[in-house]
Amino acid sequence: MPRRLVTVTLIALLAATLLLARVNAAPPTQITIAVPSDIVSMDPHATSDFVTNQVMTGTVYETLVKVGTKGEYEPALAVSWKILDNQTWEFRLRPNVKFHNGEPLTADAVKFSLDRCLNPANRCPRRGQLSVAQSVEVVDPMTVRIKTEGAFAALPSALMFGFIVAPRAVQTDPQALQKQAIGTGAMRLVEWQRGQRLVFERFNDYWGKKPQFERVIYRPIPDEIARVAALQAGEVHLVTAMPPEMVPVLTRNPKTAVARRGQRQIYIGMDATGTNLKPLADVRVRQAMNYAVNKDVLVSRILEGNAVPNVGGMFPQAPGFDTRLRPYPHDPGRAKRLLAEAGYADGFEVTLNFVPGLEGSLKTKEVVESVASDLGNVGIRVRLVQMEAAAFWDGYFGKKYQMYLLTWGTSPEAGLYYRTLLHSRTRGLYYRNSKTDELIDAWFAALEPRQRVETGRVLHRHVYEQAPFIFLFNQFSLFGMSASLTWVERPIEVIWAYDLGWQE
């Protein structure tokens, strides 16, 4: 046989063998996802921690509505809803839904869950988002009505934080959800080795689309490079909070891919009440700090282009976003003049608390170091304090900080962040301003689209000038994944187990 024919034949046989192997290769029955930190609690009403929410929402806990693939709200535990009047919404529940302990989903369960989070005594960190709900009424076993304080255009967005829990289990033992996660989601938690792994198994009585994988394992891997290394080694199949510098590396590797989901606003919060540091109560000081920080350096050098500068704390898709506004420019001279006008020509000292990787933030340490350096150049001496997530949240809700780094993710009905973070009657932790309250109320009461845009523009400019934060940037959330893993695209960062699949 001629040499060329032998070679061609061998290549054909090899190709056929590889093709047969690929055809016969069964998809895995379980996948592993690497996240920056462990969950904080199994009780969804006990924490607002980002990783906890990302892990538990994608598996165990559900809400009345969820976000569709195009950013619209679609039915989840509610099959339909309607507005009865400006203050009353009615939700019809999905039939034949079971909690993981066998309890049925009823209107009583919805009322119990929302009331539990709204009760100040329970210190639910999601109360701020849900506080617009004045009352929850059971109409019949499968119907609830939610009455709001006034007209409130963003109720479906608020309900994305209203996780429904099994009432009988909690009424029997108030600490039940600290011992075992009990939701209606597509996966149930069967093992939690703190700091090591969480194991979820497919819930066979789930009402909706069943996940392809029998088990989903979450592994906390705090170091971002170690997370990516685990992906490249095939130890995990999906990694969250991926460092920007690894994007080209994973893109070039035929065994890996990169996914972007949503945006996350990164900001430096300030105690604008002045309780913990008097200078921060002066709007001129807060504006000076915005002029002092070079956002272009943060975006182009540290985030390597995987972000855009933020404008006044509002996402561009929010109704009323004022396109005439621009990010605060880097202007140290103007910053020094404003500080001098406020009586702080010699600057002052301030403490900035942060958690590396908190809520999916990328390059957190490098970001705060750059911010501290810029503020130092105008005379503001920054002491950086790195913390663990649980301790950070205790201090945050305890109103202990002068400055802190935090984030907020996008949502289709953008704007809840203004109400939650800046309105005196929601969190009201580090900023209170009656004019801001008035403008926020007007924005959320505007059910007519044109009016909502007009009131949004006024509010956006007001917050921009008030500068309750150092507005940094909107970061694209980066995920590394096995090339064979498929993931239904939605405009948010939650990893719903039934959205994942496998294709060789």
Side-chain angles (χ1 to χ4, degrees), residues 129-195:
Q129 287 98 339
L130 291 173
S131 61
V132 66
Q134 195 173 50
S135 64
V136 182
E137 175 191 356
V138 174
V139 178
D140 62 45
M142 300 306 291
T143 307
V144 292
R145 285 181 187 159
I146 299 177
K147 187 174 286 293
T148 58
E149 289 181 338
F152 190 75
L155 183 62
S157 183
L159 291 176
M160 288 289 292
F161 300 97
F163 300 104
I164 308 303
V165 300
R168 199 178 307 156
V170 180
Q171 288 165 337
T172 303
D173 177 3
Q175 301 303 313
L177 299 182
Q178 298 289 352
K179 303 170 185 174
Q180 177 61 53
I182 307 172
T184 57
M187 310 289 289
R188 60 190 186 94
L189 180 60
V190 296
E191 178 186 339
W192 181 18
Q193 294 183 27
R194 292 179 185 271

Coordinates of all heavy atoms in Angstrom, one line a residue, residues 129-195:
Q129 N -35.8 46.5 50.6 CA -36.4 46.3 49.3 C -37.9 46.0 49.3 O -38.6 46.4 48.4 CB -35.7 45.2 48.6 CG -34.3 45.5 48.1 CD -33.2 45.0 49.0 OE1 -33.5 44.7 50.2 NE2 -32.0 44.8 48.5
L130 N -38.3 45.4 50.4 CA -39.7 44.9 50.5 C -40.6 45.9 51.2 O -41.8 45.7 51.3 CB -39.8 43.5 51.1 CG -39.2 42.4 50.3 CD1 -39.2 41.1 51.2 CD2 -40.0 42.1 49.1
S131 N -40.0 46.9 51.8 CA -40.8 47.7 52.8 C -41.9 48.5 52.1 O -42.8 49.0 52.8 CB -39.9 48.7 53.5 OG -39.3 49.6 52.6
V132 N -41.9 48.5 50.8 CA -43.0 49.2 50.1 C -44.3 48.4 50.3 O -45.4 49.0 50.1 CB -42.7 49.3 48.6 CG1 -42.7 47.9 47.9 CG2 -43.8 50.1 47.8
A133 N -44.3 47.2 50.6 CA -45.5 46.3 50.8 C -46.1 46.7 52.2 O -45.5 46.5 53.2 CB -45.1 44.9 50.8
Q134 N -47.2 47.3 52.2 CA -47.9 47.8 53.4 C -48.6 46.6 54.1 O -48.6 46.5 55.3 CB -48.9 48.9 53.1 CG -49.4 49.7 54.3 CD -50.2 50.8 53.8 OE1 -51.2 50.7 53.0 NE2 -49.9 52.0 54.3
S135 N -49.1 45.7 53.3 CA -49.8 44.6 53.9 C -49.9 43.5 52.8 O -49.8 43.7 51.6 CB -51.2 44.9 54.3 OG -52.0 45.3 53.2
V136 N -50.0 42.2 53.3 CA -50.2 41.0 52.5 C -51.4 40.3 52.9 O -51.6 39.9 54.1 CB -49.0 40.1 52.6 CG1 -49.1 38.9 51.6 CG2 -47.7 40.8 52.3
E137 N -52.4 40.2 52.0 CA -53.7 39.6 52.4 C -53.9 38.3 51.6 O -53.7 38.2 50.4 CB -54.8 40.6 52.0 CG -56.2 40.1 52.2 CD -57.3 41.0 51.5 OE1 -56.9 42.1 51.0 OE2 -58.4 40.7 51.5
V138 N -54.4 37.3 52.4 CA -54.8 36.0 51.8 C -56.2 36.1 51.3 O -57.1 36.3 52.1 CB -54.6 34.9 52.8 CG1 -55.1 33.6 52.2 CG2 -53.1 34.7 53.2
V139 N -56.4 36.0 50.0 CA -57.7 36.1 49.4 C -58.4 34.7 49.4 O -59.5 34.5 49.8 CB -57.7 36.6 48.0 CG1 -59.1 36.7 47.3 CG2 -57.0 38.0 47.9
D140 N -57.7 33.7 49.0 CA -58.1 32.3 49.0 C -56.8 31.5 49.1 O -55.7 32.1 49.0 CB -59.0 32.0 47.9 CG -58.3 32.1 46.5 OD1 -57.2 31.7 46.4 OD2 -59.0 32.7 45.6
P141 N -56.9 30.2 49.2 CA -55.6 29.4 49.3 C -54.6 29.6 48.2 O -53.4 29.3 48.5 CB -56.1 27.9 49.3 CG -57.5 28.0 49.9 CD -58.1 29.3 49.3
M142 N -55.0 30.1 47.1 CA -54.0 30.2 46.0 C -53.9 31.7 45.5 O -53.4 31.9 44.4 CB -54.4 29.3 44.8 CG -54.4 27.8 45.2 SD -52.8 27.3 46.0 CE -51.7 27.4 44.6
T143 N -54.4 32.6 46.2 CA -54.4 34.0 45.8 C -54.0 35.0 46.9 O -54.5 34.8 48.1 CB -55.8 34.5 45.3 OG1 -56.2 33.5 44.3 CG2 -55.7 35.9 44.7
V144 N -53.1 35.9 46.7 CA -52.7 36.9 47.6 C -52.8 38.3 47.0 O -52.6 38.4 45.8 CB -51.2 36.7 48.2 CG1 -51.1 35.4 49.0 CG2 -50.2 36.7 47.0
R145 N -53.1 39.3 47.9 CA -53.0 40.7 47.4 C -52.0 41.4 48.3 O -51.9 41.2 49.5 CB -54.4 41.3 47.6 CG -55.4 40.9 46.6 CD -56.8 41.5 46.8 NE -57.8 41.0 45.9 CZ -59.1 41.0 46.1 NH1 -59.6 41.7 47.2 NH2 -59.9 40.5 45.3
I146 N -51.2 42.2 47.6 CA -50.2 43.0 48.2 C -50.6 44.5 48.0 O -50.7 45.0 46.9 CB -48.8 42.7 47.6 CG1 -48.4 41.3 47.9 CG2 -47.8 43.7 48.3 CD1 -47.1 40.9 47.3
K147 N -50.8 45.2 49.2 CA -51.1 46.6 49.1 C -49.8 47.4 49.4 O -49.1 47.1 50.4 CB -52.2 46.9 50.1 CG -52.7 48.3 50.1 CD -53.9 48.5 51.0 CE -55.2 47.8 50.5 NZ -55.7 48.5 49.2
T148 N -49.5 48.3 48.5 CA -48.3 49.1 48.7 C -48.7 50.5 49.4 O -49.9 50.9 49.4 CB -47.7 49.4 47.3 OG1 -48.6 50.1 46.5 CG2 -47.3 48.1 46.7
E149 N -47.7 51.2 49.9 CA -47.9 52.5 50.6 C -48.6 53.5 49.6 O -49.3 54.3 50.1 CB -46.6 53.0 51.1 CG -46.0 52.2 52.3 CD -44.7 52.8 52.8 OE1 -44.1 53.5 52.0 OE2 -44.3 52.5 53.9
G150 N -48.2 53.4 48.4 CA -48.8 54.3 47.4 C -48.6 53.6 46.1 O -48.2 52.4 46.0
A151 N -48.8 54.3 45.0 CA -48.5 53.7 43.7 C -47.0 53.4 43.6 O -46.2 54.2 43.9 CB -48.9 54.7 42.6
F152 N -46.7 52.2 43.2 CA -45.3 51.7 43.2 C -45.0 50.9 42.0 O -45.4 49.7 41.9 CB -45.0 50.9 44.5 CG -43.5 50.6 44.7 CD1 -42.7 51.6 45.1 CD2 -43.0 49.4 44.4 CE1 -41.3 51.4 45.3 CE2 -41.6 49.2 44.6 CZ -40.8 50.2 45.0
A153 N -44.3 51.5 41.0 CA -44.1 50.9 39.7 C -43.2 49.7 39.7 O -43.3 48.9 38.8 CB -43.6 52.0 38.7
A154 N -42.4 49.6 40.7 CA -41.3 48.6 40.7 C -41.6 47.4 41.6 O -40.7 46.7 42.1 CB -40.0 49.2 41.1
L155 N -42.9 47.1 41.9 CA -43.2 46.0 42.9 C -42.6 44.7 42.4 O -42.1 43.9 43.2 CB -44.7 45.9 43.1 CG -45.1 44.8 44.1 CD1 -44.5 45.1 45.5 CD2 -46.6 44.7 44.2
P156 N -42.8 44.3 41.1 CA -42.2 43.0 40.7 C -40.7 42.9 41.0 O -40.2 41.9 41.4 CB -42.5 42.9 39.2 CG -43.7 43.7 39.0 CD -43.6 44.9 40.0
S157 N -40.0 44.0 40.8 CA -38.6 44.1 41.0 C -38.3 43.9 42.5 O -37.4 43.1 42.9 CB -38.0 45.4 40.6 OG -36.6 45.4 40.8
A158 N -39.1 44.5 43.4 CA -39.0 44.3 44.8 C -39.2 42.9 45.3 O -38.5 42.4 46.1 CB -39.9 45.3 45.6
L159 N -40.2 42.2 44.6 CA -40.5 40.9 45.0 C -39.4 39.9 44.6 O -39.4 38.7 45.1 CB -41.8 40.5 44.4 CG -43.0 41.2 44.9 CD1 -44.3 40.8 44.2 CD2 -43.2 40.9 46.4
M160 N -38.4 40.3 43.8 CA -37.3 39.4 43.5 C -36.5 39.2 44.8 O -35.6 38.3 44.9 CB -36.4 40.0 42.5 CG -37.0 40.0 41.1 SD -37.0 38.4 40.3 CE -35.3 38.0 40.2
F161 N -36.7 40.0 45.9 CA -36.0 39.8 47.1 C -36.9 39.1 48.2 O -36.5 38.9 49.3 CB -35.6 41.1 47.7 CG -34.6 41.8 46.7 CD1 -35.1 42.8 45.9 CD2 -33.3 41.5 46.7 CE1 -34.2 43.5 45.0 CE2 -32.4 42.1 45.9 CZ -32.9 43.1 45.0
G162 N -38.2 38.7 47.8 CA -39.1 38.1 48.7 C -39.1 36.6 48.6 O -40.0 36.0 48.0
F163 N -38.1 36.0 49.2 CA -38.0 34.6 49.1 C -39.0 33.9 50.0 O -39.3 34.2 51.1 CB -36.6 34.1 49.6 CG -35.5 34.7 48.7 CD1 -34.7 35.8 49.2 CD2 -35.2 34.3 47.5 CE1 -33.7 36.4 48.4 CE2 -34.3 34.8 46.7 CZ -33.5 35.9 47.1
I164 N -39.6 32.8 49.4 CA -40.7 32.1 50.0 C -40.1 30.9 50.8 O -39.5 30.0 50.1 CB -41.8 31.7 49.0 CG1 -42.2 32.9 48.2 CG2 -43.0 31.1 49.7 CD1 -42.7 34.1 48.9
V165 N -40.4 30.8 52.1 CA -39.9 29.7 52.9 C -41.1 28.8 53.4 O -42.3 29.3 53.4 CB -39.1 30.2 54.1 CG1 -37.9 31.1 53.6 CG2 -40.0 31.1 55.0
A166 N -40.7 27.7 53.9 CA -41.8 26.7 54.4 C -42.3 27.2 55.8 O -41.5 27.1 56.7 CB -41.2 25.3 54.5
P167 N -43.5 27.6 55.9 CA -44.0 28.2 57.1 C -44.1 27.2 58.3 O -43.7 27.5 59.4 CB -45.4 28.7 56.8 CG -45.8 27.9 55.6 CD -44.6 27.6 54.8
R168 N -44.5 26.0 58.0 CA -44.7 25.0 59.1 C -43.4 24.7 59.8 O -43.3 24.6 61.0 CB -45.4 23.7 58.6 CG -46.1 22.9 59.6 CD -46.7 21.6 59.0 NE -47.6 22.0 57.9 CZ -48.0 21.2 56.9 NH1 -47.5 20.0 56.8 NH2 -48.8 21.6 56.0
A169 N -42.4 24.5 59.0 CA -41.0 24.2 59.5 C -40.6 25.3 60.5 O -40.0 25.1 61.5 CB -40.0 24.0 58.4
V170 N -40.7 26.6 60.0 CA -40.2 27.7 60.8 C -41.1 28.0 62.0 O -40.6 28.3 63.1 CB -40.2 29.0 59.9 CG1 -39.7 30.2 60.7 CG2 -39.3 28.8 58.7
Q171 N -42.4 27.7 61.9 CA -43.3 27.9 63.1 C -43.0 26.9 64.1 O -43.1 27.1 65.3 CB -44.8 27.8 62.6 CG -45.2 29.1 61.8 CD -46.5 28.9 61.1 OE1 -46.9 27.7 60.8 NE2 -47.2 29.9 60.7
T172 N -42.6 25.7 63.7 CA -42.3 24.6 64.6 C -41.0 24.8 65.3 O -40.8 24.6 66.5 CB -42.2 23.2 63.9 OG1 -43.5 23.0 63.2 CG2 -41.9 22.1 64.9
D173 N -40.0 25.3 64.5 CA -38.7 25.6 65.1 C -38.2 26.9 64.4 O -37.8 26.9 63.2 CB -37.7 24.5 64.8 CG -36.3 24.8 65.2 OD1 -36.1 25.8 65.9 OD2 -35.4 23.9 65.0
P174 N -38.2 28.0 65.1 CA -37.8 29.3 64.5 C -36.3 29.3 63.9 O -36.0 30.1 63.1 CB -37.9 30.3 65.7 CG -38.9 29.7 66.6 CD -38.7 28.2 66.5
Q175 N -35.5 28.3 64.4 CA -34.2 28.2 63.9 C -34.0 27.2 62.8 O -32.9 26.8 62.4 CB -33.2 27.9 65.0 CG -33.2 28.9 66.2 CD -32.8 30.3 65.7 OE1 -31.9 30.4 64.9 NE2 -33.6 31.3 66.1
A176 N -35.2 26.7 62.3 CA -35.2 25.6 61.3 C -34.3 25.9 60.1 O -33.5 25.0 59.6 CB -36.6 25.3 60.9
L177 N -34.4 27.1 59.6 CA -33.6 27.4 58.3 C -32.2 27.7 58.6 O -31.4 27.8 57.6 CB -34.3 28.6 57.6 CG -35.7 28.4 57.2 CD1 -36.3 29.7 56.5 CD2 -35.9 27.2 56.3
Q178 N -31.8 27.8 59.8 CA -30.4 27.8 60.2 C -29.8 26.4 60.2 O -28.5 26.2 60.1 CB -30.1 28.4 61.6 CG -30.6 29.9 61.7 CD -29.7 30.8 60.9 OE1 -28.6 30.5 60.4 NE2 -30.1 32.1 60.8
K179 N -30.6 25.4 60.2 CA -30.2 24.0 60.3 C -30.3 23.3 58.9 O -29.6 22.4 58.6 CB -31.0 23.2 61.3 CG -30.9 23.9 62.7 CD -31.9 23.2 63.7 CE -31.9 23.9 65.0 NZ -33.0 23.4 65.9
Q180 N -31.3 23.7 58.2 CA -31.6 23.0 56.9 C -32.3 24.0 55.9 O -33.3 24.6 56.3 CB -32.5 21.8 57.1 CG -32.9 21.1 55.8 CD -31.6 20.6 55.0 OE1 -30.8 19.8 55.6 NE2 -31.5 20.9 53.8
A181 N -31.8 24.2 54.7 CA -32.4 25.0 53.8 C -33.7 24.3 53.2 O -33.6 23.2 52.8 CB -31.5 25.3 52.6
I182 N -34.8 25.0 53.3 CA -36.1 24.4 52.8 C -36.8 25.4 51.9 O -37.4 26.4 52.4 CB -37.0 24.1 54.0 CG1 -36.3 23.2 55.0 CG2 -38.3 23.3 53.5 CD1 -37.1 23.0 56.3
G183 N -36.7 25.2 50.6 CA -37.4 26.0 49.6 C -38.2 25.2 48.7 O -38.5 24.0 48.9
T184 N -38.5 25.8 47.6 CA -39.3 25.1 46.5 C -38.5 24.9 45.2 O -39.0 24.5 44.2 CB -40.6 25.9 46.1 OG1 -40.1 27.2 45.7 CG2 -41.5 26.0 47.3
G185 N -37.2 25.3 45.3 CA -36.3 25.3 44.1 C -36.0 24.0 43.5 O -36.4 22.9 44.0
A186 N -35.4 24.0 42.3 CA -35.1 22.8 41.5 C -34.1 21.9 42.2 O -33.9 20.7 41.8 CB -34.7 23.2 40.1
M187 N -33.3 22.4 43.1 CA -32.3 21.6 43.8 C -32.5 21.7 45.3 O -33.0 22.7 45.8 CB -30.9 22.0 43.5 CG -30.6 22.2 42.0 SD -30.4 20.7 41.1 CE -28.9 20.0 41.7
R188 N -32.2 20.6 46.0 CA -32.2 20.7 47.5 C -30.8 20.5 48.1 O -30.0 19.7 47.5 CB -33.2 19.7 48.1 CG -32.9 18.2 47.8 CD -34.0 17.3 48.2 NE -33.6 15.9 48.0 CZ -33.1 15.2 48.9 NH1 -32.9 15.7 50.1 NH2 -32.8 13.9 48.7
L189 N -30.5 21.2 49.1 CA -29.2 21.1 49.8 C -29.1 19.8 50.6 O -29.9 19.6 51.5 CB -29.0 22.3 50.6 CG -27.6 22.4 51.4 CD1 -26.5 22.4 50.4 CD2 -27.6 23.7 52.2
V190 N -28.1 19.0 50.3 CA -28.0 17.7 51.1 C -26.7 17.7 51.9 O -26.6 16.8 52.7 CB -28.0 16.5 50.1 CG1 -29.4 16.4 49.4 CG2 -26.9 16.6 49.1
E191 N -25.8 18.6 51.7 CA -24.5 18.6 52.4 C -23.9 20.0 52.4 O -23.9 20.6 51.4 CB -23.6 17.6 51.8 CG -22.2 17.5 52.6 CD -21.2 16.6 51.8 OE1 -21.7 15.7 51.1 OE2 -20.0 16.7 52.0
W192 N -23.5 20.4 53.6 CA -22.7 21.7 53.7 C -21.5 21.5 54.6 O -21.7 21.4 55.8 CB -23.6 22.8 54.2 CG -22.9 24.1 54.3 CD1 -21.7 24.5 53.7 CD2 -23.3 25.3 55.0 NE1 -21.4 25.8 54.0 CE2 -22.4 26.3 54.8 CE3 -24.4 25.6 55.8 CZ2 -22.5 27.6 55.4 CZ3 -24.5 26.8 56.4 CH2 -23.6 27.8 56.2
Q193 N -20.4 21.4 54.1 CA -19.1 21.3 54.8 C -18.6 22.8 54.8 O -18.1 23.2 53.8 CB -18.1 20.4 54.3 CG -18.5 18.9 54.3 CD -17.5 18.0 53.8 OE1 -16.3 18.3 53.8 NE2 -17.9 16.8 53.3
R194 N -18.7 23.5 55.9 CA -18.4 24.9 55.9 C -16.9 25.1 55.4 O -16.0 24.5 55.8 CB -18.5 25.5 57.3 CG -20.0 25.5 57.8 CD -20.1 26.1 59.2 NE -21.5 26.0 59.7 CZ -22.4 27.0 59.5 NH1 -22.0 28.1 58.8 NH2 -23.6 26.9 60.0
G195 N -16.9 26.0 54.5 CA -15.6 26.4 53.9 C -15.0 25.4 52.9 O -14.0 25.6 52.3

